[in-house]
Coordinates of all heavy atoms in Angstrom, one line a residue:
L1 N 96.6 167.2 154.4 CA 96.9 168.3 153.5 C 98.4 168.5 153.4 O 99.0 168.8 152.3 CB 96.1 169.6 154.0 CG 96.4 170.9 153.2 CD1 95.8 170.7 151.8 CD2 95.9 172.1 153.9
Y2 N 99.1 168.6 154.5 CA 100.5 168.7 154.5 C 101.3 167.7 153.9 O 102.4 167.8 153.5 CB 101.0 169.1 155.9 CG 100.6 170.4 156.5 CD1 100.5 170.7 157.8 CD2 100.3 171.4 155.6 CE1 100.1 171.9 158.3 CE2 99.9 172.6 156.1 CZ 99.8 172.9 157.4 OH 99.4 174.1 158.0
H3 N 100.7 166.6 153.7 CA 101.3 165.5 153.0 C 101.5 165.9 151.6 O 102.5 165.5 150.9 CB 100.5 164.2 153.1 CG 101.1 163.1 152.2 ND1 102.2 162.4 152.5 CD2 100.5 162.6 151.1 CE1 102.4 161.5 151.5 NE2 101.4 161.6 150.7
H4 N 100.5 166.6 151.0 CA 100.6 167.0 149.6 C 101.1 168.4 149.4 O 101.8 168.6 148.4 CB 99.1 167.0 149.0 CG 98.5 165.6 149.0 ND1 99.0 164.6 148.1 CD2 97.5 165.0 149.7 CE1 98.2 163.5 148.4 NE2 97.4 163.7 149.3
Y5 N 100.8 169.3 150.3 CA 101.4 170.7 150.2 C 102.0 171.1 151.5 O 101.3 170.9 152.6 CB 100.2 171.7 149.8 CG 99.6 171.3 148.5 CD1 98.4 170.5 148.5 CD2 100.2 171.6 147.3 CE1 97.8 170.2 147.2 CE2 99.7 171.3 146.2 CZ 98.4 170.5 146.1 OH 97.9 170.2 144.8
A6 N 103.2 171.6 151.6 CA 104.0 171.9 152.8 C 103.3 173.0 153.6 O 103.6 173.1 154.7 CB 105.4 172.3 152.4
G7 N 102.4 173.7 153.1 CA 101.8 174.9 153.7 C 101.0 175.7 152.9 O 100.9 175.4 151.6
K8 N 100.5 176.8 153.4 CA 99.7 177.7 152.6 C 100.5 178.3 151.3 O 100.0 178.5 150.3 CB 99.2 178.8 153.5 CG 98.3 179.8 152.9 CD 97.7 180.8 153.9 CE 97.1 182.1 153.2 NZ 96.7 183.0 154.2
D9 N 101.7 178.7 151.6 CA 102.6 179.2 150.5 C 102.7 178.2 149.4 O 102.6 178.5 148.2 CB 103.9 179.6 151.0 CG 103.9 180.8 151.9 OD1 102.9 181.5 151.9 OD2 105.0 181.2 152.4
A10 N 103.0 177.0 149.8 CA 103.2 175.9 148.7 C 101.9 175.6 148.0 O 101.9 175.4 146.8 CB 103.7 174.7 149.4
L11 N 100.7 175.7 148.8 CA 99.5 175.5 148.1 C 99.2 176.7 147.1 O 98.8 176.4 146.0 CB 98.3 175.4 149.1 CG 96.9 175.2 148.6 CD1 96.9 173.8 147.8 CD2 96.0 175.1 149.9
F12 N 99.5 177.9 147.6 CA 99.2 179.0 146.7 C 100.1 178.9 145.4 O 99.7 179.2 144.3 CB 99.6 180.4 147.4 CG 99.3 181.6 146.5 CD1 98.1 182.1 146.3 CD2 100.4 182.1 145.8 CE1 97.9 183.2 145.4 CE2 100.2 183.2 144.9 CZ 99.0 183.7 144.8
E13 N 101.4 178.5 145.6 CA 102.3 178.4 144.5 C 101.7 177.3 143.4 O 101.9 177.5 142.3 CB 103.7 178.1 145.0 CG 104.7 178.3 143.9 CD 106.2 178.4 144.4 OE1 106.4 178.6 145.6 OE2 107.1 178.2 143.5
A14 N 101.3 176.2 144.0 CA 100.7 175.2 143.1 C 99.5 175.7 142.4 O 99.3 175.4 141.1 CB 100.4 174.0 144.0
V15 N 98.6 176.5 143.0 CA 97.5 177.1 142.4 C 98.0 178.1 141.3 O 97.5 178.1 140.1 CB 96.6 177.9 143.3 CG1 95.6 178.8 142.7 CG2 95.9 176.9 144.2
L16 N 99.1 178.9 141.5 CA 99.6 179.8 140.6 C 100.2 179.1 139.4 O 99.9 179.4 138.2 CB 100.6 180.8 141.3 CG 101.4 181.7 140.4 CD1 100.3 182.7 139.7 CD2 102.4 182.5 141.2
E17 N 100.9 178.0 139.7 CA 101.5 177.3 138.6 C 100.5 176.6 137.7 O 100.6 176.8 136.5 CB 102.4 176.1 139.2 CG 103.2 175.3 138.3 CD 104.5 176.0 138.1 OE1 105.2 176.5 139.0 OE2 105.1 175.8 136.9
A18 N 99.4 176.1 138.2 CA 98.3 175.6 137.4 C 97.7 176.7 136.6 O 97.3 176.4 135.5 CB 97.3 174.8 138.4
T19 N 97.4 177.9 137.3 CA 96.8 178.9 136.6 C 97.7 179.4 135.5 O 97.1 179.6 134.4 CB 96.5 180.0 137.6 OG1 95.6 179.5 138.6 CG2 95.7 181.1 136.8
E20 N 98.9 179.6 135.7 CA 99.9 180.1 134.6 C 99.9 179.0 133.5 O 100.0 179.4 132.3 CB 101.3 180.2 135.2 CG 101.5 181.5 136.1 CD 101.6 182.8 135.3 OE1 101.4 182.8 134.1 OE2 101.9 183.8 136.0
S21 N 99.9 177.8 133.7 CA 99.9 176.7 132.7 C 98.6 176.9 131.9 O 98.7 176.8 130.7 CB 100.0 175.4 133.5 OG 100.0 174.4 132.4
A22 N 97.5 177.0 132.6 CA 96.2 177.1 131.9 C 96.2 178.4 131.0 O 95.7 178.3 129.8 CB 95.1 177.1 132.8
I23 N 96.7 179.5 131.5 CA 96.9 180.7 130.7 C 97.6 180.5 129.5 O 97.3 180.8 128.4 CB 97.4 181.8 131.5 CG1 96.4 182.3 132.6 CG2 97.8 183.1 130.6 CD1 97.0 183.2 133.7
G24 N 98.8 179.8 129.7 CA 99.7 179.6 128.5 C 99.0 178.7 127.5 O 99.2 178.9 126.3
A25 N 98.3 177.7 127.9 CA 97.7 176.9 126.9 C 96.5 177.7 126.2 O 96.3 177.5 125.0 CB 97.0 175.6 127.7
R26 N 95.8 178.4 126.9 CA 94.7 179.3 126.2 C 95.3 180.3 125.2 O 94.8 180.5 124.2 CB 93.9 179.9 127.4 CG 93.0 178.9 128.0 CD 92.2 179.5 129.2 NE 91.1 180.3 128.8 CZ 90.3 181.0 129.5 NH1 90.5 180.8 130.9 NH2 89.3 181.8 129.1
I27 N 96.4 180.9 125.6 CA 97.1 181.8 124.7 C 97.7 181.1 123.5 O 97.5 181.5 122.3 CB 98.2 182.7 125.3 CG1 97.4 183.6 126.3 CG2 99.0 183.4 124.4 CD1 98.4 184.4 127.2
A28 N 98.2 179.9 123.7 CA 98.8 179.0 122.6 C 97.6 178.6 121.7 O 97.7 178.7 120.4 CB 99.5 177.8 123.2
D29 N 96.5 178.4 122.2 CA 95.2 178.0 121.4 C 94.9 179.3 120.6 O 94.5 179.0 119.4 CB 94.1 177.6 122.2 CG 94.2 176.2 122.8 OD1 95.2 175.4 122.4 OD2 93.5 175.8 123.8
A30 N 94.9 180.4 121.2 CA 94.4 181.6 120.5 C 95.4 181.9 119.2 O 94.9 182.4 118.2 CB 94.4 182.8 121.4
V31 N 96.7 181.6 119.4 CA 97.6 181.9 118.2 C 97.8 180.8 117.4 O 98.5 181.0 116.3 CB 98.9 182.6 118.8 CG1 98.7 183.8 119.6 CG2 99.7 181.5 119.6
R32 N 97.2 179.6 117.6 CA 97.5 178.5 116.8 C 97.0 178.8 115.4 O 95.9 179.3 115.2 CB 96.8 177.3 117.2 CG 97.1 176.0 116.7 CD 96.5 174.7 117.3 NE 96.2 174.8 118.7 CZ 97.0 174.6 119.7 NH1 98.3 174.4 119.5 NH2 96.7 174.5 121.0
G33 N 97.8 178.6 114.3 CA 97.4 178.9 113.0 C 97.6 180.3 112.5 O 97.4 180.5 111.4
V34 N 98.2 181.1 113.4 CA 98.5 182.4 113.0 C 99.9 182.5 112.5 O 100.9 182.3 113.4 CB 98.2 183.5 114.1 CG1 98.6 184.9 113.7 CG2 96.8 183.5 114.7
A35 N 100.1 182.6 111.3 CA 101.4 182.4 110.7 C 102.4 183.6 110.9 O 103.5 183.5 111.1 CB 101.4 182.0 109.2
D36 N 101.8 184.8 110.7 CA 102.6 186.0 110.8 C 103.0 186.3 112.3 O 102.1 186.4 113.1 CB 101.7 187.2 110.3 CG 102.4 188.5 110.4 OD1 103.6 188.6 109.9 OD2 101.9 189.5 111.1
P37 N 104.3 186.4 112.6 CA 104.7 186.6 113.9 C 104.1 187.9 114.6 O 103.8 187.8 115.8 CB 106.2 186.7 113.9 CG 106.6 186.0 112.5 CD 105.4 186.2 111.7
A38 N 104.0 189.0 113.9 CA 103.5 190.1 114.4 C 102.0 189.9 114.8 O 101.5 190.4 115.9 CB 103.6 191.4 113.6
A39 N 101.3 189.3 113.9 CA 99.9 189.0 114.2 C 99.7 188.0 115.3 O 98.8 188.2 116.1 CB 99.2 188.5 112.9

């Protein structure tokens, strides 16, 4: 485990990073094709 993640904090940060990336992708999908910036 420590070969891949230095500890619990590093593992949590990797989980957070993956979750934030997935959120960004889902929001980008939601706004895809919406031309008006306010919309």
